[in-house]
Amino acid sequence: MATAMKRDQFNTQSLGVPLNTMVKEARILMVGAGGIGCELLKNLVLAGFGEIHIVDLDTIDLSNLNRQFLFRHEHIKKSKALVAKDAAHKFNPNVKLEAYMANIKDSQFNVDWFKGFTMIFNALDNLDARRHVNKMCIAAGIPLIESGTTGFNGQVQVIKKGVSACYDCTPKETPKSFPVCTIRSTPSQPIHCIVWGKSYLLSEIFGASEDDSPEMDHSEDSENAEEIEKLRQEAQALKKIREAMGTESFAQLLFDKVYKDDVIRLRSMEEMWKTRRPPESLDENAEEIEKLRQEAQALKKIREAMGTESFAQLLFDKVYKDDVIRLRSMEEMWKTRRPPESLEYATVIFVTAGANLRSIVFGIETKSRFDIKQMAGNIIPAIATTNAIVAGLCVLQSFKVLRGEFSSTKETFLTPFAQERLLASDKSRPPNPDCPVCSVAQTRVLVDMSRATLGDLVEDFLKMELGYGEEIVVNHGNNLLYDVDETENLGKKLSELGIKGDSFLTIVDEDEEHENGPRVNLILNVQESASPEEKPIKSLDIAPATNGEVPGSPIPRRKKEVKEGPQSNGHSTNGPSAPVNGGSATKRTATEAFENGDETPSAKKAKTLSNGADNEVIEIIDNDGSILIEDD
Amino acid sequence: MTEVITDPTPPILHGPSDKEKKYDRQLRLWAASGQQALEDAHILLLNSGSGAVGVETLKNLVLPGIGQFTIADAGVVTEADLGVNFFLDEDSLGNSRAECCVKLLQELNPDVKGHWLPLQETLTVQKVLKNDAKYTLIIYTYPIEETDLDFVQEYSIKHKVPVISVHSSGFYSYFRTYLPGNFPIVDTHPDSTATTDLRLLTPWEELSKFSSELTGDIDNLSAHEHGHLPYLVILLHFLEKWKAEHRSLPSTYKEKTAFRSLVTAGARTDNPEGGEENFDEAAAAVLKTISAPTLSSSVKAVFDYEPNELEAKSNFWIIASAVKQFYEKHKQLPLPGSVPDMKAQSTVYVRLQNIYKKKARQDVAEVLSTVRAHPGGKDVDETEVESFCKNAAFIKLIHGSEANPESIKTLTKSEAENDANAEMTMMPLSLLPIYLSLHATSHMSTASSSDILATIDQVYPDASTTPRYVEISQEVARAKGGELHNISALTGGMVAQEVIKIITKQYIPIDNTCIFDGITSRTQVLRI
């Protein structure tokens, strides 16, 4: 091409040659090719980043097209990653693009694979995957640019192990769950009826059992054993009705069961209704329904049809005859995917009708179909503009990361309703010294899977080589493999305990008696190796202690005062209202501390825990604020 | 079934249309009314310079389904364009930039219609704007000829069309909105916690009756009933008590604190919990809900404003005057009618909700009858009146921005004073120097740092000797008007957001200039 101006003329002009060269040589991983992902990919491609890998498991849906501009109508049901790659390639053929239609949690994407990138961008929409990538980036020591949007709000954060706070340094809100009895017996809010419609009625009739639903909280089950057993029988009976599906009487059977028989049974438990309004089965409730009919437009339609003989038939036949095939295929989807982002239309009708009828039974306000879809599907509003802004901010941060200027990276928030702080940027926060993900010691271990036992790990590796004492716990995910009282696994091979290459094990030190407190948690990243001559387990990153208990043990300790131990009792703030939720209390204070920003210059000092300098670690905690706030 | 409804044909349950599905995630922000406004709009982009920021803005408007857009641009696509503009490819080289961008933008959304106008000697900006009033909003980018700017302003004033100017160069950008005349907004989307209006100090008869019915025999209520009195009924009960004793309502902070203690003391503590949750709720709500209704300054501004003859004929001002009459008569605004969630027996809560809803409907009916009595009020839609009444406490009027050469001097001075104290007050530095430096290159993108400073000196004589001004002008000179795609994409996101607010008349648009500094990832909004 004989044109005088080069393609990257403006980039060279503004970035300068050295940075522009770094950009061209960078190898980037982008996780997620949705709303932020499309914007980000466009920006990265035009900024001239040399090589970009894209991972996304998802396929394209019609509701994506209002913002995910790399996709067209004809791409619906195709892979986001692959279509995005093809679309972006056209606009800068010099960039090397690689796409994977895969789950980022797949084992092919191991720590070594992550290590091959200059930096990683998260453009995800769910907590679980964000946490995973965060963990992998911490393990690999690769910088991560994390971002997210909700409606007009958005946020960008640079995560670098040991330098800035990681994704899990502040506890995240977990999805709401409800006790089983609230959902099945004593609902008091529309959301209870909606969860019932979705996680019980819909699931029992068309899908998996409610026990698998993450919205069901079984922690109080033992207190209500008798009622739980009754409910189990009720669900069994419902399953029988499910077998009648396809027969003439199915819909009537189902309707009579859930809105009459079950309600009458529930009502007969007088104990339960001493302090609550008892439920009224639907045929007793005609007057109330009539009143509500005038209130709620959505209910009106259902109610009108309900007066007719054929109502139940119609409602369920529609779902059964017309849509059952699609519903069944959805059932498959739910097994392999993250919880559904939105519910298909037939499902929404079913859940709306189911939930609103139940609301009438319990005298609860009914909701419109639009609202119920949002409440049941956890739908988050999303628009192109916010994604464009956030993606732009991500790339700005990436320039600082490329230059290694982590001290000047910013955490930026979009606060669209405060004119003076539309884009508010704060200094990056330092890592939280209590963070279970980044403020831990990490090492890779070479394990000969053919012979290594849990005993080898505990006795030979942890105690002899790393100098651990007796009081230790070994966890694999949520599974406890070993502690002082749980010794029966010691003789088993690690492979028999479900551990494979790239598994993560967490070692918790419970030696509260030690003068400097227990060690920080240790994360072992298992690497397979066959080495018949050497020891079955060998550390790749930590030199073994010379022998036994050595003062210079490589895993640092934390001081006792730091721990929010259970021994500090008699300090509950909220009176006797029993289960003081420690988790939510810390969450609140953490958020407050977060909102207060990190203007204090003293919080700037960045530390790694690996040098084991205990006093310094404590200093940070004193400055952290979150603990101070909790005191008042 | 106890009741049989005569109509035997059940309604057909329609699924959402494809359009509703496609726009689902945004309908949750601006609803069908906002979407309709977008679909009725036609945006004109006068594009120039390296041309990316305007096109990025349009991308964010085409995706959510703007009705039509037109790009007027004299540019012919070069290699450098390909590096900064995503909506051009190798095949575009040598062709009209307006045409190529429109074609690729249109691919994003088949519901949107795009037009292009390749500007040239025979098709000038003047000609483009001369024809008719078909554009809803105009966006122009810098650099732009001074004479063309005049045509844009003329069009804006004549047809009451909002204009947004956008300037992106290197790591800096700004955009500025010009609203013609006054711009009223009904649906400002206030924070949901701010919208609670329970009228506890001035309960109407039905509410008082309901409350005393529940609390008439408060000491002999069963533990369950007592523990499930809705908190607002508790507050009403104790307000009566307070009034009987003090002959006035609690108004000062001290009185309110005393009143709170009175409420707290009303809780029964002889139960296993040692207290009652509904009384806790009541005590917590005292400071927030026990206050005389005051008119916010933004509503006052609406009431005080005297619309001119033309404005007075619009639905907004007809309803506003009816609401004002309502306010003058009742000393309060129409009741919004929603009741927050609270501990209560479901049946009681539903009754309470109905009492509030009924009153809200009565208030709407009263305002509506005033509207109907107005000469132009026959055709005002009832839902518009409803929505106005519901949002009455949060309506907002933004005054149009008239250019005033003196005000920029004052602003420059006050920002400089703030900066002088920045270290002490821990406030970030003003971004006004960025605006002024970019603005100095409005008509010609390549200018030296000293040219830029000389221009700024005309409004702020100290500029040439202020290091920050010198530094920023050097940065602007260095970029030579070249856009960074990333900065332009980000700016395009912000501009599109403002366009959506202005077109849907929802949320409060920026008043009136937003400056972005890509080096510190920061914005500042100033009224210039």
Side-chain angles (χ1 to χ4, degrees), chain A residues 7 10 13-14 39 42-43 46 66 72 91 152 275 286 303 314 345 373-374 385 392 400 419 423 425, chain B residues 2-3 10 14-16 26 28 56 59 86 90 107 224 478-479 485-486 497 507 519-521 523:
Chain A
R7 180 185 276 269
F10 296 138
Q13 228 160 264
S14 283
E39 299 284 345
K42 166 178 69 81
N43 293 359
L46 286 181
N66 79 327
R72 306 281 173 274
F91 296 94
F152 292 112
T275 62
R303 165 69 183 141
L314 271 168
Y345 176 64
K373 189 178 167 196
Q374 179 151 357
T385 50
K400 291 180 183 157
Q419 288 224 347
L423 286 183
S425 47
Chain B
T2 49
E3 237 188 331
H14 286 291
Q26 67 200 43
R28 288 165 198 283
E56 284 297 312
K59 158 188 146 284
F86 191 76
E90 303 265 333
E107 274 186 26
H224 176 67
R478 190 167 70 89
H485 174 79
N486 185 51
Q497 200 121 298
Y507 302 96
I519 295 165
T520 58
S521 292
T523 56

Side-chain angles (χ1 to χ4, degrees), chain B residues 27-42:
Chain B
L27 289 172
R28 288 165 198 283
L29 292 172
W30 53 69
S33 58
Q35 187 64 30
Q36 192 57 50
L38 279 182
E39 288 172 20
D40 292 342
H42 186 162

Side-chain angles (χ1 to χ4, degrees), chain B residues 162-183:
Chain B
V163 176
I164 301 186
S165 64
V166 193
H167 201 156
S168 171
S169 173
F171 279 96
Y172 297 143
S173 73
Y174 78 84
F175 62 91
R176 182 169 177 196
T177 60
Y178 303 82
L179 299 171
N182 289 301
F183 188 82

Side-chain angles (χ1 to χ4, degrees), chain B residues 477-510:
Chain B
R478 190 167 70 89
K480 294 198 190 90
E483 287 176 76
L484 280 179
H485 174 79
N486 185 51
I487 298 288
S488 291
L490 194 159
T491 309
M494 296 199 280
V495 175
Q497 200 121 298
E498 292 310 305
V499 173
I500 290 169
K501 287 188 205 167
I502 292 169
I503 289 178
T504 60
K505 296 204 168 66
Q506 294 182 35
Y507 302 96
I508 301 172
I510 281 166

Side-chain angles (χ1 to χ4, degrees), chain A residues 163-202:
Chain A
V163 178
S164 58
C166 85
Y167 187 72
D168 274 322
C169 276
T170 41
K172 297 290 183 289
E173 235 174 280
T174 44
K176 252 192 172 169
S177 68
F178 305 94
V180 176
C181 282
T182 304
I183 298 304
R184 292 286 303 279
S185 306
T186 54
S188 59
Q189 291 169 22
I191 184 68
H192 299 153
C193 296
I194 295 166
V195 171
W196 177 87
K198 182 187 158 198
S199 300
Y200 172 69
L201 189 61
L202 181 74

Side-chain angles (χ1 to χ4, degrees), chain B residues 139-423:
Chain B
I139 301 167
Y140 68 85
T141 61
Y142 289 103
I144 186 169
E145 296 283 343
E146 252 178 306
T147 45
D148 288 346
L149 203 50
D150 293 339
F151 296 129
V152 173
Q153 271 159 5
E154 202 179 297
Y155 186 92
S156 162
I157 293 164
K158 187 171 163 202
H159 300 294
K160 298 264 164 228
V161 168
V163 176
I164 301 186
S165 64
V166 193
H167 201 156
S168 171
S169 173
F171 279 96
Y172 297 143
S173 73
Y174 78 84
F175 62 91
R176 182 169 177 196
T177 60
Y178 303 82
L179 299 171
N182 289 301
F183 188 82
I185 312 148
V186 173
D187 197 355
T188 52
H189 292 262
D191 184 24
S192 60
T193 54
T195 53
T196 309
D197 180 1
L198 300 174
R199 300 286 158 88
L200 297 182
L201 291 180
T202 51
W204 60 101
E205 201 192 329
E206 202 183 347
L207 179 61
S208 301
K209 239 175 80 189
F210 177 72
S211 166
S212 46
E213 185 190 310
L214 287 181
T215 53
D217 197 13
I218 192 166
D219 296 331
N220 295 317
L221 291 178
S222 73
H224 176 67
E225 286 168 328
H226 197 267
H228 283 79
L229 284 172
Y231 80 72
L232 66 90
V233 169
I234 296 174
L235 290 175
L236 285 168
H237 171 75
F238 284 100
L239 280 169
E240 279 304 310
K241 238 177 138 172
W242 178 281
K243 238 182 357 194
E245 211 172 299
H246 297 81
R247 306 203 169 276
S248 69
L249 289 163
S251 59
T252 64
Y253 180 77
K254 209 176 145 194
E255 282 170 353
K256 283 182 193 172
T257 324
F259 176 70
R260 190 170 55 190
S261 313
L262 180 72
V263 172
T264 311
R268 293 184 188 172
T269 50
D270 56 348
N271 47 19
E273 291 82 29
E276 287 172 312
E277 204 183 325
N278 53 338
F279 276 78
D280 293 344
E281 284 179 354
V286 166
L287 292 179
K288 228 168 53 192
T289 54
I290 307 290
S291 48
T294 51
L295 222 46
S296 76
S297 58
S298 67
V299 179
K300 227 181 186 147
V302 172
F303 284 178
D304 291 347
Y305 181 75
E306 280 176 24
N308 62 34
E309 208 177 318
L310 186 76
E311 284 171 338
K313 285 183 187 153
S314 72
N315 287 0
F316 178 88
W317 289 109
I318 292 173
I319 305 172
S321 112
V323 170
K324 188 180 170 186
Q325 277 184 43
F326 182 98
Y327 181 79
E328 279 161 358
K329 187 172 160 200
H330 301 282
K331 303 286 169 259
Q332 35 203 356
L333 292 167
L335 183 76
S338 55
V339 182
D341 195 20
M342 62 187 70
K343 184 160 188 180
Q345 286 171 284
S346 301
T347 43
V348 171
Y349 183 70
V350 170
R351 277 180 67 194
L352 202 54
Q353 273 185 323
N354 287 338
I355 289 171
Y356 273 84
K357 271 188 203 149
K358 193 175 152 198
K359 173 77 165 89
R361 275 198 295 263
Q362 281 169 0
D363 288 358
V364 170
E366 188 178 330
V367 172
L368 185 65
S369 72
T370 317
V371 167
R372 289 282 182 259
H374 189 281
K378 296 271 176 301
D379 305 321
V380 175
D381 195 21
E382 190 178 338
T383 54
E384 205 178 335
V385 176
E386 250 170 55
S387 145
F388 199 116
C389 290
K390 207 167 179 231
N391 292 296
F394 298 93
I395 46 174
K396 170 109 184 152
L397 181 67
I398 294 189
H399 294 287
S401 21
E402 312 284 318
N404 178 354
E406 280 314 301
S407 68
I408 183 79
K409 287 185 184 167
T410 326
L411 184 65
T412 313
K413 240 177 105 189
S414 71
E415 289 292 295
E417 278 162 17
N418 287 345
D419 279 3
N421 298 322
E423 222 160 289

